[in-house]
Amino acid sequence: MARSEVEHDIEIQGPLLRETLINADPLLTPDDPDLQKLIPAYGDWHLHRRGYRIWTTMMGLAGIVGDSFQYDRVVAKASGLSAGGKDALREEMERQAPGFTGRVVTATSRPPKPGEVHGVDYYFYDDRDALLQAVAHGDFVEHVLQGDRAYGLPKRSFDDALAGSVPFIVTHVEMASGWPAVHDYLTQEYQGSPPREFDIFLLPEMRAQAYFNEWLPGHRPAGEVESRANRAAWEIFHAPVQAEVIVTNVMSSNRPTLKQEASDLMSMMELVLKDDVPRPTGLARLPDLGVGYIPRLRHAQDVVLDSGH
């Protein structure tokens, strides 16, 4: 669907899907029976590593293995429910692999928070209209409206990130229209060798009622909660057919699995990098990928998934 059609679909379907999720109150993790009853496509997802909340499908994993050792660069297109832990996961990846992990700086029309720096944390625009004017000039890969604020991904940010030497580049981008927009930019406008894209979706591991009624309102401005909740509901229903990797985050101050989640995710992405690309130290290497046994294969029928949930 075109961007306008996607946004219209979210506007119309989002409230209905949110009500459905709240009434059923499933646990937001792919193996939950109540979630699979609502959205059967989640039944195709399996834990990539037991206990560390990285999920793939058989075909998704086969695609990753099929791309082994073919790319100089990886772009992780991290999407997910609002307040679902995207920043925490990216920051942990940067902490574990300094000098190997970079990010694409996004833009916002909200005011800077104390300590935030223009061009480092975000590109800050004076107001929503100023950001939308830049969008109209063709300066953005994608953008999204949340209440009275606008957020987006400037093309210059992508160009700056790809001009560097780090093999892992992480960007926050909306699944609905952002994933295809980034793909189009990297394959049609970007002048360098296209990187391997990973479509990664993050789910907070909690009940739907807890997320929509407590967690989201407690972590986002009141004026944005309605639009973010509708988008989140739409994303939950569409993620299992659009994502390549799903990460379920335990949302607590302790976050005991965050370190392993970040390490496992980088190990998975590292698989597609060419042999001569420098690797961060400490990442798991083949064949220890935690999915049974995956040698250097090229065919889906040869991939053996760990059948345990």
Side-chain angles (χ1 to χ4, degrees):
M1 286 190 288
R3 173 186 167 78
S4 59
E5 294 174 328
V6 169
E7 294 303 318
H8 179 71
D9 194 48
I10 292 173
E11 182 180 353
I12 299 301
Q13 296 294 326
L16 301 175
L17 299 177
R18 179 178 59 170
E19 183 178 357
T20 298
L21 286 163
I22 290 174
N23 289 338
D25 196 27
L27 181 66
L28 299 180
T29 184
D31 61 349
D32 181 69
D34 292 329
L35 187 62
Q36 291 183 7
K37 189 179 299 183
L38 281 179
I39 311 167
Y42 278 109
D44 296 332
W45 289 78
H46 307 269
L47 275 175
H48 171 67
R49 293 194 70 162
R50 289 186 177 181
Y52 297 131
R53 297 174 173 83
I54 307 292
W55 305 77
T56 56
T57 64
M58 174 73 80
M59 291 306 299
L61 186 58
I64 295 170
V65 174
D67 285 342
S68 300
F69 317 109
Q70 295 188 30
Y71 290 85
D72 297 309
R73 197 77 59 86
V74 162
V75 170
K77 293 149 54 179
S79 185
L81 304 195
S82 181
K86 296 184 292 294
D87 282 330
L89 184 60
R90 174 187 55 77
E91 290 167 0
E92 178 61 23
M93 291 171 64
E94 292 176 347
R95 188 194 68 77
Q96 289 189 30
F100 291 88
T101 303
R103 68 185 180 98
V104 180
V105 180
T106 54
T108 178
S109 64
R110 70 162 174 79
K113 297 176 182 177
E116 289 184 330
V117 178
H118 177 74
V120 176
D121 299 288
Y122 285 94
Y123 287 106
F124 293 100
Y125 283 74
D126 291 337
D127 53 39
R128 170 172 152 159
D129 289 342
L131 192 150
L132 292 180
Q133 186 175 16
V135 170
H137 288 164
D139 297 338
F140 276 66
V141 177
E142 65 96 24
H143 73 285
V144 64
L145 303 179
Q146 301 284 13
D148 60 355
R149 293 175 177 173
Y151 300 83
L153 186 59
K155 291 180 180 179
R156 62 175 172 172
S157 295
F158 245 123
D159 292 341
D160 289 346
L162 290 168
S165 59
V166 296
F168 297 143
I169 297 172
V170 183
T171 180
H172 294 172
V173 60
E174 296 291 335
M175 177 185 74
S177 56
W179 281 355
V182 169
H183 176 74
D184 289 346
Y185 178 71
L186 291 175
T187 56
Q188 298 175 21
E189 293 189 46
Y190 176 61
Q191 298 300 309
S193 176
R196 173 55 157 86
E197 302 169 49
F198 279 84
D199 293 340
I200 301 168
F201 191 78
L202 281 75
L203 281 170
E205 193 168 302
M206 62 180 66
R207 293 280 175 185
Q209 288 184 12
Y211 174 76
F212 287 108
N213 297 339
E214 301 171 21
W215 185 265
L216 182 60
H219 289 80
R220 290 296 180 262
E224 298 183 13
V225 169
E226 183 76 12
S227 62
R228 288 182 180 273
N230 292 339
R231 182 175 296 274
W234 188 94
E235 290 172 337
I236 291 170
F237 272 81
H238 287 77
V241 295
Q242 295 193 20
E244 185 174 27
V245 179
I246 290 177
V247 180
T248 47
N249 271 328
V250 176
M251 306 305 294
S252 70
S253 58
N254 188 18
R255 302 294 298 281
T257 65
L258 182 61
K259 180 178 179 180
Q260 193 64 54
E261 287 172 10
S263 177
D264 284 356
L265 190 56
M266 287 190 290
S267 295
M268 177 185 289
M269 295 190 298
E270 182 261 355
L271 178 63
V272 306
L273 294 176
K274 294 177 181 177
D275 278 333
D276 59 353
V277 175
R279 263 73 168 176
T281 59
L283 292 186
R285 298 301 306 275
L286 285 174
D288 181 21
L289 288 176
V291 287
Y293 172 61
I294 304 182
R296 301 185 179 195
L297 302 176
R298 292 291 184 269
H299 302 290
Q301 63 265 31
D302 293 325
V303 177
V304 180
L305 277 172
D306 186 330
S307 60
H309 281 235

